[in-house]
Amino acid sequence: MLYVDGKWVEQGEAAVQPEDRGYNFGDGIYEVVRIYQGRLYQWDAHMVRLYRSAREIRLTLPWSEAELTAIARQLLVKNNITPADDAILYLQITRGAAPRQHDIPADGIRPVIMAFVRRKERPLKELQTGISAKLVADIRWLRCDIKTLNLLGAVLVKQEAKDAGAADCILHRDGIVTECSAANLFAVKNGELYTHPANHLILHGITRQTVIDLAQQAGIPVHEQAFDTTFVRQADELFLTGTTSEVMPIISVDGQPVGSGQVGPMVRKLQELFEANINQSVQV
Ligand code: PLP
């Protein structure tokens, strides 16, 4: 069952208003939350980011965090998500429906919520073997820190990588590397981690922050500083982080091996730390 605009509906029964601004303009925000063993992972962090995204697009959410949490819990129950299930929860909020105009309607517009859960296995095979990536120009807008429904840039860069036979893209703006299509990027050099600073050019990934915290607790130096495509090609190891991709090794870039071309020891170590964190912090 899905939760759509205040109602519980079956798949196929959900309807979209033709002039919903999410549908017309991508005028809305979303979150994807991991469910491990039937329980929500890092729900609180996702809520903080959702409310921040809302503020940044000048959208006042009419739901409290407690109300959204109640909806999430009901979604798990109504869809029979049990401790045997790994899944994702998708939650989106659009600004609502109004006669089409670009500027934000002054009043009389009511945000529309939609949420569902879907069973989803962890990408265990890829986490073991690693994936390939292609360097692609980052054509997205300049507010990548907002988790907005406007994902056409991400769609096109991911497809460009896929067309070249790579699993994902590593995005760069004039040679400065930002992130991946739906994940953050880390490079490993001489036992230290490098990742783009959390500014307007990347999404402030929750998994990114978890990995930074876990690394620092383990005494691994982390540099939140921009680096270029040459640094990527010369990295000892590369990996991306994301809610569904976790700590995913990248073993080749543009067909060339990263480091040894095998999944490296730093990624293995961070995967272990991440696994322990999953088991400790699943909640709800
Ligand atoms: N960067 C982009 C562009 C994303 O879309 C995502 C997730 O969808 C991420 C990074 C990773 O963020 P998180 O770890 O919060 O899933």
Side-chain angles (χ1 to χ4, degrees):
M1 285 201 104
L2 293 77
Y3 187 70
V4 183
D5 199 14
K7 297 188 192 68
W8 292 97
V9 297
E10 294 293 347
Q11 189 89 37
E13 285 175 4
V16 175
Q17 287 294 325
E19 287 186 294
D20 186 300
R21 292 176 62 94
Y23 191 39
N24 292 171
F25 299 108
D27 186 356
I29 53 174
Y30 76 106
E31 285 293 327
V32 179
V33 184
R34 215 6 164 157
I35 296 164
Y36 289 116
Q37 297 153 37
R39 294 191 293 175
L40 293 160
Y41 177 60
Q42 296 196 330
W43 175 255
D44 295 348
H46 284 280
M47 285 297 96
V48 169
R49 188 169 63 188
L50 181 77
Y51 281 89
R52 177 184 182 275
S53 292
R55 279 195 304 278
E56 294 298 320
I57 68 161
R58 307 193 203 186
L59 174 61
T60 305
L61 298 186
W63 306 277
S64 67
E65 193 175 324
E67 286 170 320
L68 294 180
T69 304
I71 292 167
R73 289 182 192 206
Q74 287 179 72
L75 268 174
L76 299 188
V77 172
K78 287 182 188 289
N79 290 283
N80 302 317
I81 301 292
T82 72
D85 295 314
D86 289 332
I88 54 139
L89 185 152
Y90 178 85
L91 168 68
Q92 77 165 40
I93 297 169
T94 69
R95 200 181 301 277
R100 192 178 183 283
Q101 65 180 49
H102 282 69
D103 52 312
I104 300 171
D107 46 38
I109 186 162
R110 186 176 51 78
V112 175
I113 187 169
M114 187 277 281
F116 63 81
V117 290
R118 171 172 300 148
R119 283 173 182 76
K120 189 171 175 68
E121 301 291 318
R122 297 175 61 190
L124 295 177
K125 182 175 163 288
E126 290 87 352
L127 289 171
Q128 279 303 315
T129 58
I131 61 167
S132 59
K134 174 179 165 46
L135 283 160
V136 173
D138 191 346
I139 58 167
R140 302 172 305 162
W141 71 331
L142 295 173
R143 289 304 308 273
C144 294
D145 55 311
I146 306 173
K147 203 159 169 67
T148 132
L149 298 174
N150 261 298
L151 289 174
L152 191 53
V155 167
L156 293 176
V157 292
K158 175 83 180 244
Q159 190 58 42
E160 190 173 336
K162 280 287 183 76
D163 289 346
D168 205 347
C169 49
I170 294 175
L171 300 174
H172 66 91
R173 290 189 191 264
D174 295 328
I176 300 297
V177 172
T178 51
E179 57 179 337
C180 300
S181 65
N184 294 111
L185 182 77
F186 285 77
V188 182
K189 193 72 190 169
N190 300 326
E192 306 195 352
L193 301 185
Y194 294 81
T195 192
H196 196 282
N199 62 12
H200 62 291
L201 296 179
I202 66 164
L203 186 76
H204 304 182
I206 289 165
T207 322
R208 171 188 180 278
Q209 191 58 50
T210 301
V211 166
I212 290 174
D213 293 345
L214 292 172
Q216 287 175 336
Q217 284 158 22
I220 300 162
V222 182
H223 306 277
E224 292 186 64
Q225 71 191 41
F227 50 84
D228 63 11
T229 51
T230 305
F231 191 79
V232 160
R233 289 195 192 90
Q234 293 170 355
D236 299 333
E237 300 176 41
L238 288 178
F239 63 94
L240 58 79
T241 61
T243 290
T244 50
S245 41
E246 304 187 4
V247 178
M248 180 64 72
I250 297 174
I251 55 165
S252 72
V253 175
D254 291 346
Q256 300 299 310
V258 177
S260 65
Q262 308 288 319
V263 178
M266 178 67 85
V267 171
R268 288 281 177 245
K269 169 87 185 155
L270 294 169
Q271 286 179 332
E272 274 170 31
L273 295 173
F274 189 73
E275 192 80 33
N277 184 264
I278 291 173
N279 292 325
Q280 279 161 21
S281 39
V282 277
Q283 53 181 269
V284 176

